[in-house]
Structures are given as structure tokens and as C-alpha cells.
Amino acid sequence: MGFVGATLGSLAGWYLGALVGVTTGVVLSMVGTGAGIWLGRWAAREWLES
């Protein structure tokens, strides 16, 4: 789940940041990757505990 979250978070960050510029896209892609990993791990924990 972390890998899926990282991929989707990176994609979202890139598209939002690329509207401003390439460097902003790269930075937001990294932020999105971290957030996606966190959300993916959280979702897996929540679903597996149930």
C-alpha cells in the first residue's frame, strides 16, 4: 500500500506543481511521495485491523 500511495501522491504533487514550474513540480512530487507513503501505510493498518 505504501508503494501505491507513493505513486499516487507523487503524481498528484507533480501535476499540481508543474502548473507553476518544473522545480515546483519536483518539490511537490517529493512532498506527495512522503504523504502518499504515510496515507498508504495508514490505510493498510486501518483495513487490516478490522
Side-chain angles (χ1 to χ4, degrees):
M1 288 301 288
F3 179 73
V4 173
T7 302
L8 294 177
S10 176
L11 180 69
W14 171 258
Y15 280 121
L16 290 175
L19 295 173
V20 177
V22 174
T23 304
T24 307
V26 171
V27 171
L28 286 184
S29 177
M30 289 186 287
V31 171
T33 299
I37 291 171
W38 182 81
L39 284 171
R41 292 183 65 194
W42 176 82
R45 232 184 356 256
E46 289 295 315
W47 291 337
L48 292 176
E49 286 181 2
S50 299

